[in-house]
Structures are given as C-alpha cells and as structure tokens.
Amino acid sequence: MVWVWICLAVLIVFIVVLYPLSSLISPSPIDLKNAHVVITGGSSGIGKAIAEEAVKKGAKVTLIARNKQKLEEAKDAISSGIADKSGKQVVNVLSVNLCGELECVEKAIAEAESALGPVDFLINCAGNAFPGRFDEAPISDFKKMMDLNFMSAVQTTKAVIPGMKARGRGRVVLVSSQAGQLGVYGYTAYSSSKFALRGLAESLQMEMKPFNIHVTLSFPPDTDTPGFQEENKNKPKETALISETSSLTKPQVVAESILNDSVKGRFFSSVGMEGLMLTCLTSGFSPVTSIRDAVLQVTLMGPVRIVAIAVLYNFNRIVINCRRQQEAEAMSDSKKMS
C-alpha cells in the first residue's frame, strides 16, 4: 500500500511540477517545408532514405558524397518524390571528399547555400565500417574510420555553424550507431569512431544552445543498406553471430526517426524498444530536451542495466563458443596432419 502512495505522489509531482517545464526544455520545432537540408553520405543507404523522406515533407535537399555517378542516380530517384511540383523544391548534388581539406568542404557548403539558401538542417550520414579483430586490423583502418566517421562530420559541421549562429537557429544531426553505445567484438575501430561522435555531440550542444542550434545524436541499429551488406562480407564469425541476435531495420524507418527527432530538436534519436533501452541506459550526462525522456531515463536506467548484463553474458558466451570451436578445429586438423 505504501508503494501505491509513493507512485501516486511521483505522478502528481510529474504532472504538477515537471510537465509544465517541458515547454522551457523542449526546443521549438523547425518546419521541414522549404527548409534546406544538407545530407552527407546521401547517395545511398540511410542518407538517401532521409533525403527521400525530406522531399516528401517539402524540403530542399543537397546531397554530398564522393561518387558522382551514385549522386546523380540518387538525385533522379529522390526527385521523383518531390512534393512541390512548382519547381521551387530542388534536389542538388555535390561531389566532395569530406575527409580532404576543410577549405574544400567550406567551399561546397557555400555553393550549396548559394543554390538553395542557408542550411537549416545538416545531417552527417557519411561513414563506413571495416570490421575486424583488433590484433589483425591494420592501424590504417583506425585512421580511416576516424576520418570517415568522425572527422568528416567535424569538418562539415564547422562549415555550417557560423551561418547558423548568425541566423540564430539550426539543426545538426550526427549519425552514430548502436555500436557507438556499446563496444562489440570486431568493431574496435568502428566503435571508437562512433563513440567519438557522442563526445562531439554533447560538447557541441552545450556550446550551441545559446544560439538556438540543437544537436541530434542518432543511434541506428543494423540497417539494411548496401554498406551493411558489404560490411557483412568481412565480419568475423563472432561479430556476425552477435549481429544476428537483433533484427535488421529498414533504412526508411531510421530516416523517419532521425527527421522527426531533429525537427523537434531532441538530443537522442533511436529506433524501437531496443534503441530506447540502450539510450536510457547510456543517457549519463546527456542534454535534456524532453521531460518525458528524462523521466524514462531515470526510471529505466537501473532495470535496463540488469537486462544489459544478461545480453553481455550472451555476447561473451558466443565469443567463447567460437573460440572453443576454433580450438577444436585446429586440434582436428593437427591430428589429420600427424
């Protein structure tokens, strides 16, 4: 009976005190209609899906990637879904090496703004994964991952921030990964680069909040994209088995989540119950942009830790079983040779 009264008291406090504060904590939404959305890595996968969703909502879109042919193919496919047939809504493409010189990236952003106006949304999707065991992965893989997944986002964000600060509004999205919330076997290079985005997002949000610029950090699960299919070709067995414990998500689902959350200025963007649990568990000192999210994080962090321990036990069991199988196979081969 005591617990009932405690729960009732917490609910009353939430309704009377916390809920009215949501208007002070939650950023004002930015309408996607006629907004200029710049998407890096927009020629395929999640980036392309975000572009398709954005044009349906009336946005003008600039796609940035390296491969010119893929960009033009993406442009044709995305343009067919344009909501405004008056000609005002445009899909623009720019071929840029985001890991190159900052001046080249700044020039590309200036060109995009000259064509379609100031950048309202920057969505950093450019990235890749080179799975492999730590002791087998060359140092070059770690450098490539940091350049592709982290430094490309740093450079593009640096290019748009001055304009957003001058206008006093904007959205910056950093697409991390669930492997940027927990370390996974075979992803020492990839997870490191995706974890780095979190530090960038939290620090950047604290700096940009006075200018009404809001950062969204997205944690997509395994998503059915060409990049994921290519990644699967080189995954260690342990990594593949761990990956199979969760379902594969469609890029359109991730894209819709990212756009909706960035429009609202929410700091975290996740997909499904698994994503919600991981986000609550790893919320830590993250910015609060929603009273609802804050209550969920405080309430679920402890219980979800219990679930996480069970999940980690299962992952470690997979790794140990693979090791035992490898040892058994090696012993069998040794006997055959002798």
Side-chain angles (χ1 to χ4, degrees):
M1 190 65 179
V2 174
W3 285 107
V4 174
W5 285 109
I6 292 174
C7 291
L8 184 60
V10 170
L11 182 61
I12 291 171
V13 169
F14 172 69
I15 294 172
V16 175
V17 179
L18 295 179
Y19 189 73
L21 290 176
S22 62
S23 61
L24 301 176
I25 293 174
S26 301
S28 299
I30 295 181
D31 192 353
L32 274 169
K33 188 173 183 180
N34 298 320
H36 183 190
V37 180
V38 173
I39 305 168
T40 70
S43 60
S44 65
I46 293 173
K48 182 182 176 185
I50 292 172
E52 290 170 340
E53 189 68 23
V55 297
K56 290 177 185 176
K57 297 181 183 295
K60 298 173 289 184
V61 171
T62 296
L63 305 178
I64 298 179
R66 281 184 296 181
N67 191 305
K68 292 182 179 180
Q69 182 178 342
K70 285 185 178 180
L71 278 169
E72 291 297 335
E73 291 171 356
K75 177 181 177 178
D76 292 341
I78 295 163
S79 296
S80 63
I82 284 179
D84 182 358
K85 303 301 181 182
S86 67
K88 295 179 181 179
Q89 198 181 351
V90 179
V91 177
N92 189 26
V93 296
L94 292 169
S95 175
V96 183
N97 177 12
L98 297 174
C99 301
E101 296 295 326
L102 175 60
E103 290 78 8
C104 295
V105 179
E106 290 174 332
K107 183 179 177 181
I109 292 298
E111 185 178 338
E113 293 191 319
S114 176
L116 301 182
V119 177
D120 298 295
F121 290 76
L122 170 64
I123 303 179
N124 291 290
C125 272
N128 210 334
F130 304 140
R133 297 177 182 88
F134 178 80
D135 56 337
E136 298 173 356
I139 289 297
S140 59
D141 279 3
F142 287 82
K143 293 179 178 178
K144 285 179 185 176
M145 288 291 88
M146 288 303 296
D147 281 343
L148 288 168
N149 299 336
F150 180 71
M151 287 307 302
S152 67
V154 170
Q155 298 211 129
T156 318
T157 303
K158 265 190 168 292
V160 303
I161 283 297
M164 288 184 175
K165 286 175 70 173
R167 293 187 301 276
R169 77 166 203 165
R171 296 287 192 266
V172 175
V173 178
L174 300 168
V175 179
S176 180
S177 164
Q178 286 188 350
Q181 294 175 289
L182 73 157
V184 180
Y185 188 105
Y187 281 146
T188 49
Y190 180 69
S191 284
S192 299
S193 64
K194 291 298 187 177
F195 266 85
L197 287 172
R198 169 136 192 183
L200 172 63
E202 291 190 3
S203 302
L204 184 65
Q205 179 59 91
M206 192 175 290
E207 291 185 18
M208 293 300 114
K209 190 171 183 179
F211 300 95
N212 194 30
I213 300 169
H214 293 277
V215 178
T216 295
L217 181 62
S218 171
F219 296 115
D222 284 345
T223 307
D224 191 9
T225 64
F228 182 76
Q229 300 305 329
E230 188 66 27
E231 176 189 330
N232 277 341
K233 295 177 182 178
N234 300 307
K235 277 182 179 176
K237 183 178 180 180
E238 295 88 342
T239 312
L241 290 172
I242 289 171
S243 181
E244 288 171 7
T245 61
S246 59
S247 59
L248 198 60
T249 304
K250 293 182 178 180
Q252 292 78 12
V253 174
V254 177
E256 187 174 350
S257 173
I258 289 173
L259 273 182
N260 289 342
D261 290 333
S262 60
V263 162
K264 296 173 184 175
R266 297 180 67 185
F267 183 73
F268 284 132
S269 181
S270 60
V271 176
M273 183 57 66
E274 185 179 88
L276 174 64
M277 291 172 64
L278 270 171
T279 300
C280 288
L281 181 61
T282 60
S283 53
F285 269 78
S286 61
V288 178
T289 52
S290 163
I291 289 295
R292 186 204 69 172
D293 288 350
V295 171
L296 283 173
Q297 290 161 10
V298 171
T299 306
L300 295 179
M301 186 179 287
V304 170
R305 175 57 178 164
I306 298 172
V307 177
I309 291 171
V311 172
L312 286 171
Y313 173 80
N314 185 46
F315 288 173
N316 286 316
R317 185 178 57 83
I318 289 172
V319 172
I320 290 169
N321 286 343
C322 285
R323 177 60 181 166
R324 286 173 178 169
Q325 185 178 350
Q326 290 163 6
E327 289 175 346
E329 290 173 355
M331 187 175 294
S332 177
D333 292 341
S334 177
K335 287 180 179 179
K336 287 178 182 178
M337 291 180 66
S338 60

